[in-house]
Amino acid sequence: MNGKRSNLLQRAHHLNFDLKALLRRMVRWGFVVLGLLSSGVLFAQPQAPVVWGQPRRLGIGNAMSPSLHPALLKGDTLLFCGAVPDPGNPRMFRPAVIASYDNGQTFGPWRYVGDTLFAYPESRIFGNGGTDFVNLMCCLYRSVNAGATWELNRQRRSDTGICWGTMLGSQAITIEWHWQGGESDPTYWAVISEDGGDHWGSALALNLPPTFEFLDVAMTRGHLLVLANIDDLGELGTTSADRTGQTWSPFVALPSSWPGNTNTPFILGDSTSETAMVRQTVGRASMDEADLFVYRTTDGGQNWEPGRNLSEGHPYSRFLCHPELFCCGKLWGVVWEDFWNPDTTQWGVYYRMSANHGKDWYPAQPLGLDVGQLDYSGGQFIGDEVHVYWNAQSDYATAVGRMAVDTLAPGIEIGIPLPNDVGQGTTVQFMGSAMDNDSLVRMDVVLRRQGSADSLVVPLSERITSVDYRGTWTVPQDTTQWVYYYRAEDMWENVSAFPDTGAFTFHTTGWSATSSVTLPPLSFAVSVFPNPSNGWPSIKLAPGWFGHGVVRISVHDVLGRCLLEREVAGQGGQLISLMDNRNLEAASGVYLLRVTAGGRVRAVKVLVLK
């Protein structure tokens, strides 16, 4: 019993585009498809999604960081746990936190947490960057001023202690272990606060088997998830509950997890979705290297995907550093240490990211060399930047990268519009294009009964070229009026729909006109001819753009610089040349065409191929 309790206490803290004929055929309403491109280019996702600056040391000082979660990264607020020598007894240490409120440019002094000296204290920090907690020796300390001062929030009781916790918004959850007289195994309870630790609710039993050993806890938008070893061999599993924590589901084992020679796994949830991921490192035979595996759930822990080896080609080095996943919506990242680089004996830091909730991951990118053995690595997304941090040689360092994220949705052109009246069960031919400068994932048609929220999504997966699609879909067996539109999604999970205003409609045979609902006209359409083009294309504006003041057309490059700008007047329907008196040549690349009038803005991607 004492051995297991000791182990538990330890766990509590360790827990070509080959263009033969440039005929761009797909145009909007009422135009005829003239032909097909004989071959196409695959707009693959970029191999270097982040451009990194030079790493720099933060100069915090010689403070040990024995914690598994020593950093709290919340925008410009950075809090780092450490263990600083006591002035009166240099052989003893005091747990402390140091804070920066300008993202590491300057730091205040180390602030002590508690008043007890330790030979080797271990602490872990979590919070929201304003109200924050440090778990120290199974006690909970809180700061309500972003780390400036710390006070005891919950005291460890006899045979009871706090393992670990997490916080999302004002809700905090901790997992406690309890030992009752005569028991050889602990029981585990969840305790929740809805007001940042001002008040804590009653302990909620997790009702877990004796072989359960708690590892970590996480929150998604709607769920609480607990990660644990679910048997004596160390197999991983999760149990979940809604955010109230009242009822916990049976354990779900992670598929293909590797028990035994593994490091302490961690779990992280996304506050905007039901996506969560588990990080696990699996040792290789050499014992100097390990592989970094990630498991993903998209339904709050009900089902888990098989693990992915994110460090393939750059194995995780040793068992010193504990890389942490970090996320912001669909963006996920992880940083780890490679044992060596192919052409040097220096240590390397590597970064890998996903821009679609972990469905796909970009290749690993090196960040810096000669950093020494890492004790910690983590990061955060701020706007279009990635900030990563690591602890090496008793000091923290950081690097900042700018993401080359394509934030524009794909442009869609339709070749064959649907007749107004079609029979039930009719097979509809579709032809259209979706152009994007990163990989297209899918193109669909979405059907909805007029006045209803019900919808039917039909994938249009037959791709002729990299941008052109064709396929069929069937009119439902239902006498009604239908709203329908086409939509495309790219690898960044940007989604566009055509038409961009209003919706198409059609009637099935036998539909009664008395149920008709008038839809707004497609008054703000923008058509580009041709697209792709070997120079600046021409555009055609729908009549709705005129009569709302000045109509301004501009072209921007991928860096946002305005290359062309002109104002137009007149009526809709005429072709408008983008050339101005500067006669600026269009180099190959992707451009953004913007049309602005009366407070309405429409953006269309233009691809120029020379």
Side-chain angles (χ1 to χ4, degrees), residues 63-83:
M64 296 189 304
S65 296
S67 310
L68 299 185
H69 289 277
L72 181 72
L73 313 171
K74 296 294 181 180
D76 285 341
T77 298
L78 310 180
L79 301 179
F80 295 104
C81 282

Side-chain angles (χ1 to χ4, degrees), residues 20 57 100 104 223 330 404 408 421 475 479 529 546-547 567 575:
K20 295 182 179 179
R57 294 190 178 276
S100 171
H223 285 85
K330 66 182 180 179
L408 299 176
D421 195 354
V475 175
T479 302
F529 309 90
F546 300 91
E567 297 178 356
L575 286 176

Side-chain angles (χ1 to χ4, degrees), residues 212-510:
F212 169 92
E213 187 175 11
F214 169 80
L215 295 174
D216 201 7
V217 61
M219 292 186 189
T220 64
R221 179 176 59 189
H223 285 85
L224 308 173
L225 293 94
V226 167
L227 175 70
N229 287 330
I230 59 178
D231 58 27
D232 291 334
L233 298 177
E235 184 177 4
L236 297 177
T238 59
T239 179
S240 62
D242 65 18
R243 291 282 291 270
T244 67
Q246 297 296 321
T247 304
W248 293 83
S249 67
F251 255 92
V252 177
L254 270 63
S256 305
S257 61
W258 287 265
N261 188 16
T262 64
N263 205 348
T264 306
F266 300 119
I267 185 171
L268 177 66
D270 169 34
S271 63
T272 67
S273 73
E274 293 308 306
T275 299
M277 297 190 204
V278 169
R279 191 279 293 157
Q280 180 186 28
T281 56
V282 181
R284 294 185 174 188
S286 68
M287 295 299 294
D288 283 333
E289 296 178 348
D291 287 314
L292 175 63
F293 282 86
V294 168
Y295 307 82
R296 185 178 78 130
T297 178
T298 58
D299 55 12
Q302 305 306 304
N303 299 275
W304 287 89
E305 300 172 357
R308 301 186 188 187
N309 186 353
L310 295 190
S311 60
E312 186 175 0
H314 297 283
Y316 167 78
S317 68
R318 303 191 183 275
F319 281 1
L320 296 177
C321 172
H322 302 277
E324 291 190 29
L325 291 162
F326 55 95
C327 72
C328 181
K330 66 182 180 179
L331 300 173
W332 285 72
V334 65
V335 185
W336 72 95
E337 179 186 22
D338 187 10
F339 185 53
W340 63 73
N341 290 317
D343 55 353
T344 180
T345 58
Q346 293 175 307
W347 298 89
V349 178
Y350 280 84
Y351 166 79
R352 198 166 184 181
M353 74 169 288
S354 169
N356 55 12
H357 296 280
K359 288 194 299 187
D360 306 287
W361 290 82
Y362 284 108
Q365 285 187 279
L367 301 189
L369 301 175
D370 195 21
V371 298
Q373 299 179 355
L374 302 189
D375 296 322
Y376 159 83
S377 61
Q380 60 176 332
F381 295 99
I382 304 177
D384 62 350
E385 293 181 342
V386 187
H387 294 244
V388 297
Y389 313 82
W390 61 87
N391 181 294
Q393 300 173 345
S394 299
D395 193 11
Y396 281 90
T398 185
V400 178
R402 185 174 296 275
M403 290 183 288
V405 178
D406 177 13
T407 59
L408 299 176
I412 303 177
E413 300 286 342
I414 302 301
I416 304 179
L418 192 65
N420 291 331
D421 195 354
V422 295
Q424 303 172 46
T426 300
T427 298
V428 178
Q429 296 287 332
F430 166 85
M431 298 192 76
S433 299
M435 191 274 291
D436 203 67
N437 66 327
D438 45 88
S439 298
L440 290 167
V441 175
R442 59 187 295 172
M443 190 161 177
D444 307 317
V445 59
V446 181
L447 302 168
R448 185 175 69 249
R449 293 180 184 88
Q450 180 63 50
S452 172
D454 297 333
S455 63
L456 174 66
V457 178
V458 182
L460 299 166
S461 57
E462 185 178 354
R463 185 179 294 186
I464 308 168
T465 71
S466 61
V467 297
D468 295 326
Y469 290 78
R470 69 182 177 191
T472 61
W473 54 275
T474 302
V475 175
Q477 296 283 351
D478 193 347
T479 302
T480 186
Q481 183 185 35
W482 294 85
V483 175
Y484 77 106
Y485 61 92
Y486 298 100
R487 72 181 182 192
E489 179 181 347
D490 65 17
M491 59 81 55
W492 296 102
E493 293 198 337
N494 297 314
V495 179
S496 64
F498 180 81
D500 61 318
T501 59
F504 293 128
T505 61
F506 69 90
H507 312 150
T508 49
T509 304

